[in-house]
Amino acid sequence: MSKLIDPACAPHDHTARPTAPPVRPGAIERAAGIFRAMGDAPRLRLLTILGQGEACVTEIAAAEGEDLSTISQRLRVLRNEGLVSRRRNGKHILYGLADQHVADLLFNALAHASEGRADLSRFASLVPATPTKKE
Amino acid sequence: MSKLIDPACAPHDHTARPTAPPVRPGAIERAAGIFRAMGDAPRLRLLTILGQGEACVTEIAAAEGEDLSTISQRLRVLRNEGLVSRRRNGKHILYGLADQHVADLLFNALAHASEGRADLSRFASLVPATPTKKE
DNA sequence: CTAACAGTTGAACAGTTCATCAAGTGTTCC
DNA sequence: GGAACACTTGATGAACTGTTCAACTGTTAG
């Protein structure tokens, strides 16, 4: 072994590095909230379903084999973070992804999780072509 | 599993669509784990710090005004999900973002959280140019 | 009007997670 | 070798989260 004292990591002068975060403080808390909402497998699966198109609660519950209430609670968490849209259609309430940003986030994470984009081709129908544009 | 339109749900209101998830099952659990790890403000702030370049634990702890152990624990969670890299340099252990995918995820979420990418300009040094790109 | 359907909300319990402390490993320097 | 530094790890308790049940709102049909 050789001497490898890193000059970038000085013994006692660590405060040289910018202490300030690269974005304004509120954004991090907000982003963390978004991630927390997506950080649950059942909820994330829900988002991928909505990524295929709008769906009502009953429909989702049937597809997932879950209780209406359970699905509604999950949707509430997602809605609190502004990740899904909601509109009424007769007796039904249709949910969908809030915007393209959410779809991008979803796509990116699944791409990273798959460690290979082969399986994502089926998901591509969700995302048109240019992911991040305007809202 | 080719189709499953709920009979209890008004047929005329629903457009027929596949019930099957768009990605293979494992990916969702994995992506949820990633989101869960990022779904905590202190941990997310840590990632943005690492996004600016590698840093050792002492350095981070000083910047955050936190305990060494606390930072180490946070890093462990991130490391368990493969979000950060680790390498030894003398007495120090340098952490950094695992790959570009993580940086993209970070960028995208902060962009969505900021509801406008003006503030992200300072963060741009982290990512090349376009946040989400098809590979 | 009432009945039935579609969905929401509040409360309670179980399970999980985060920060703190104390004790441990690995590395460099004397 | 041993002391000092730079982390890591396990355990503990407080705080949070997710599911379930029951009661509630709103809509449509008869």
Side-chain angles (χ1 to χ4, degrees), chain B residues 92-111:
Chain B
H92 297 274
I93 295 179
L94 294 174
Y95 281 85
L97 294 189
D99 56 31
Q100 194 59 39
H101 243 136
V102 178
D104 288 349
L105 229 40
L106 212 48
F107 183 95
N108 253 16
L110 289 170

Side-chain angles (χ1 to χ4, degrees), chain A residues 31-49:
Chain A
I34 292 172
F35 280 136
R36 196 181 314 123
M38 296 176 83
D40 182 62
R43 232 144 45 203
L44 196 54
R45 191 161 42 243
L46 223 105
L47 284 178
T48 65
I49 289 175

